[in-house]
Amino acid sequence: MTSLVSRLRLPEAVGLSLSVVSPTVTAAFNITLVVQAAGPAAPLAFAIGMVAMALVALSFMAFTHRVAHAGSAYAYITRTFGSRMGFVAGWTLLLTYLGFGSGFAALVGSFTSAALKGFGIDVGPWWIAIGAVSMLLGWWLAYRDMRLAGRLMLGLEGIAVIAIIFLCICILRQVHPDADQIAASFRPAANFNGWAGLGFGMVFSILSFAGFEGAATLGEETINPRRNIPIALLGTVLGSGIFFVFVAYCEVIGFGPQGIKDLANSQAPLDDLALRFASPRLAIVLDIAAATSCFSGVIGAVAAAGRLVFALGRAGLSSTLAGVHPVHRTPAPAVSLAAFLIIAPFLAWAPFVGGGNYYSYSSTIGVLALILIYIAVGGAEMVEGWRERRPIWSAACTLGPILLLWVLYRNIYPVPEYPNNLWPYVAVIWAIASFALMKLRPRVVSAPLPDYL
């Protein structure tokens, strides 16, 4: 049995996209990465990132009206550029979900450990076990029931976002920045290399939106995908973008102009702000909220990666991976393989570098691969628009890829410090490996693209 069943609705689609984006992780972790590069202009980096991602989202939305496929970008690129390039795209996108899922698991362990310390419990190196258990639970939910998993992901994210907004309101009620401080949040900072620093910081702002396209992998399982998938994609980008700009602004003014370096170096900015503007209890609540949000991200990454593996398996990579569970109607073998590919590097690498560093490394690799996919999908939509004799739309579709090329360039030059200078090579080597797979499994090159819409 190799066909999925359409029984998911809009909440499950939104839940998958939102879980992979994981807005709480950005508030609790990614904002500090943007601040390290862009300083007080972090809100501007997120605002530009939202525009770039909205442009990319339009390309994804246009393709969802043409074809509904578990492989999402794999199917879109195949439709426009052929099976060979489609397989490269699908394989490259798989690296994104594997990197995100593995990184989220590390943060589950880290944030849970931090929350337990608030109760006087020090788990020490056992945070690794907590992260591993979160992956096993994520696999079980993605394996058995995507409807339950989708609603659970949406609920966990909603609770975490509410807790963070409450903290932001506490900050705004107590801090009254002057006009210069407000303006500093929305212009490049000269002492952080101006536009160059902003460009490097944007790779982390793009990372924060990365995964919005996750709902597209549910194209074959969602009722009325022409309507629900586009709403889930654009709604996730715009909703997350507004949230990111707002929270980044609150964190910047919360630390103040003299505390920007403290914010950049903070391992737990939400905890620091909660202790300063609210209470220690809120800090514990925020750690728990962040851990549950990361767990939601683990579920989403396993589910999305599993569907990509399923799509590639069905295209000729492996008939076993193209199987569908007879009862749960999920791509069970593919989900299981995806879960293994997520947990293996986590157990082999994370214990030696720590949860925060591991998330930074694995997610950066993932987002670099994803930027390549976003550029390719934007380019494919540009070609499709030209074929459909819509020159204005075709020209508009170039804006997202151009902006992302700039972000990619700024992530490569100036060359980042070790080990961040290695991650572009990892992404490229992974993509090149797809050509070796095509040699081993030549069927994927000539596989037809079924239309499941």
Side-chain angles (χ1 to χ4, degrees), residues 22-403:
S22 194
T24 305
V25 172
T26 293
F29 193 84
N30 291 349
I31 287 177
T32 62
L33 301 178
V34 178
V35 171
Q36 287 174 16
L44 176 61
F46 283 108
I48 297 175
M50 177 175 63
V51 173
M53 286 297 95
L55 292 171
V56 175
L58 292 176
S59 295
F60 273 88
M61 292 165 63
F63 271 107
T64 61
H65 284 284
R66 300 188 186 99
V67 59
H69 197 284
S72 64
Y74 156 73
Y76 308 156
I77 302 301
T78 297
R79 176 185 173 93
T80 304
F81 299 121
S83 298
R84 185 181 299 273
M85 293 307 300
F87 184 81
V88 174
W91 179 255
T92 303
L93 182 57
L94 177 61
L95 177 62
T96 294
Y97 296 135
L98 298 180
F100 286 2
S102 195
F104 282 142
L107 290 187
V108 171
S110 294
F111 284 124
T112 302
S113 176
L116 291 174
K117 282 184 179 179
F119 295 103
I121 303 172
D122 186 359
V123 299
W126 286 100
W127 68 270
I128 293 290
I130 296 173
V133 169
S134 75
M135 276 187 273
L136 292 176
L137 289 175
W139 162 79
W140 183 78
L141 286 166
Y143 182 96
R144 288 185 59 87
D145 191 345
M146 196 57 213
R147 287 179 297 182
L148 172 62
R151 293 167 187 171
L152 179 62
M153 289 185 288
L154 188 60
L156 292 176
E157 288 295 337
I159 293 171
V161 165
I162 290 171
I164 294 171
I165 290 176
F166 177 77
L167 172 60
C168 290
I169 292 173
C170 292
I171 295 171
L172 293 175
R173 291 180 63 183
Q174 299 177 52
V175 178
H176 305 285
D178 57 31
D180 287 340
Q181 287 178 269
I182 296 173
S185 295
F186 296 97
R187 68 186 178 206
N191 54 338
F192 282 85
N193 298 318
W195 284 103
L198 188 69
F200 185 66
M202 275 190 60
V203 74
F204 298 108
S205 76
I206 297 297
L207 161 64
S208 301
F209 290 94
F212 79 87
E213 79 297 332
T217 63
L218 300 178
E220 298 176 37
E221 300 167 80
T222 302
I223 298 171
N224 194 4
R226 288 181 185 271
R227 170 186 176 274
N228 290 329
I229 299 300
I231 291 175
L233 299 181
L234 189 60
T236 297
V237 170
L238 296 181
S240 297
I242 294 170
F243 176 76
F244 295 156
V245 173
F246 174 65
V247 176
Y249 172 75
C250 290
E251 291 192 16
V252 167
I253 66 169
F255 275 84
Q258 306 305 319
I260 292 300
K261 289 187 177 179
D262 293 332
L263 173 57
N265 296 322
S266 176
Q267 296 298 311
L270 295 181
D271 282 8
D272 295 339
L273 291 168
L275 294 173
R276 186 182 305 181
F277 294 100
S279 69
R281 290 185 178 180
L282 180 58
I284 295 174
V285 169
L286 289 170
D287 284 332
I288 295 173
T292 58
S293 175
C294 292
F295 174 59
S296 172
V298 171
I299 302 172
V302 171
R307 278 151 183 79
L308 258 176
V309 172
F310 167 78
L312 297 178
R314 188 174 54 188
L317 185 62
S318 168
S319 59
T320 301
L321 296 176
V324 175
H325 196 283
V327 176
H328 306 310
R329 308 307 300 272
T330 59
V335 168
S336 297
L337 177 60
F340 172 77
L341 294 176
I342 287 173
I343 197 172
F346 170 78
L347 294 176
W349 189 7
F352 304 101
V353 297
N357 284 335
Y358 181 75
Y359 169 76
S360 176
Y361 300 159
S362 64
S363 60
T364 299
I365 293 170
V367 79
L368 288 171
L370 189 59
I371 289 175
L372 297 175
I373 296 301
Y374 286 167
I375 292 172
V377 171
E381 181 56 29
M382 179 187 66
V383 171
E384 293 291 341
W386 188 260
R387 290 174 177 173
E388 296 169 359
R389 298 183 178 179
R390 296 189 294 164
I392 296 177
W393 170 250
S394 180
C397 289
T398 64
L399 298 177
I402 289 173
L403 189 52

